[in-house]
Amino acid sequence: MKLFDVYSTFPIHIIKGKGCYVYDDSGNSYLDFYGGHAVISIGHSHPYLVKCMGEQMQNLMFYSNSVVNKLQEALAYELGEISGYSDYSAFFVNSGAEANENALKLASFHTGKKKVIAFRNSFHGRTSAAVEVTDNPLITAPINSNANVYFSEMDINEVERQLQQGDVCAVIIEGISGVGGIKIPDDDFLVALRNLTRKHGVVLILDEIQSGYGRTGKFFAHQWCGIKPDIITVAKGIANGYPFSGVLISEIFKPRKGMLGTTFGGNHLGCAAALAVIEVMKKEKLIENADKLGGDFIHRLRALKSPLIKEVRGCGLMIGIEFSVPVSSVRNSLLSTYHIFTGYSGTNVLRILPPLCVSKADVDYFIESFAACLHEIEYKESKSASDR
């Protein structure tokens, strides 16, 4: 049997990680400024995380949700305390897509309706309902195309017109769009959206899967504008690479037995990992680091004067650099010449999502390498133009 060929991959075999670095099977080190889609929150193979997971593995990796799980209770408490949502309830699952599936299902149960408002260039996952609210027809199969979604621009008047139809159960929006190019919703828009959804009795879901867990310098990106949604979905950084996710649910929802369910969600090993992540984040002040270092990082990127750069966007350690040329040449050069992993959005946006433990020295090296990379590409482009 061979692998189903759906991934574009670099010809690099990564076998080890430590902190902000990963290592290939030839012993080469790479500065990881992508963290596997923002999954690595506290750094690769953090010793405290490894210790906690190892101890839990010696005792119990898994039992189903048919028994009491005190680790789930402890995680719900700690997550509520660190996020500022101690009055919400938690439901733990396995992936960001699954978290969004359950959030949408809750909204539909609560309102008795099935239409959803999502936004242009959104990404919420690849499973049934999650991919339907994702604005990408290339990954939406016919079985997922059920005409249940209105895709809106971030225009409050357009949203209100759709809400007035009376058939909407939820509005789902990312705290900051990741796959969509690091686009940050305007504070005034989010406040107006919160007010409108309340007015129309519609559930507001904040997808904080990529933008949450301290990445922007607050626990959730939406907390910069002070709103409180009805449901928040979290994943990626929650367990630093172990598949785990959660749905944070406000008191307007009343649970009933069997309403939601999962086999592997909230398993003992995942809970141990997630609890260790929170402990490290608090002890090492990683949210504060994302705020302070991220702000300085963005400022330094904006100070780079290059005709290749159209805009630098971001908050904390969630950063997008939009180029006037395809980003593939920049990304490939950073990896092959300077051994730095980065991500991308679309054709022209470089995505930077390092672990929250990133240091000033790491940022210094990135800035120095990135500036040299830009200079090389500018030189090649000017030489190519003169040859023509």
Side-chain angles (χ1 to χ4, degrees), residues 267-283:
N267 65 75
H268 295 73
L269 184 57
C271 285
L275 282 163
V277 165
I278 291 175
E279 183 63 24
V280 171
M281 289 180 73
K282 291 192 297 185
K283 186 175 181 180

Side-chain angles (χ1 to χ4, degrees), residues 199-269:
K199 174 183 173 183
H200 289 272
V202 169
V203 174
L204 178 60
I205 302 170
L206 247 297
D207 177 340
E208 291 277 8
I209 287 162
Q210 190 170 132
S211 57
Y213 250 77
R215 181 151 294 278
T216 67
K218 288 189 181 291
F219 197 83
F220 293 125
H222 70 263
Q223 289 173 318
W224 285 104
C225 75
I227 66 166
K228 289 192 78 170
D230 300 306
I231 300 177
I232 307 160
T233 54
V234 296
K236 295 196 183 294
I238 190 172
N240 204 57
Y242 186 88
F244 204 84
S245 64
V247 188
L248 278 59
I249 305 162
S250 77
E251 291 177 318
I252 68 169
F253 299 91
K254 303 305 175 189
R256 59 175 171 78
K257 302 300 183 184
M259 186 183 205
L260 305 176
T262 170
T263 296
F264 295 105
N267 65 75
H268 295 73
L269 184 57

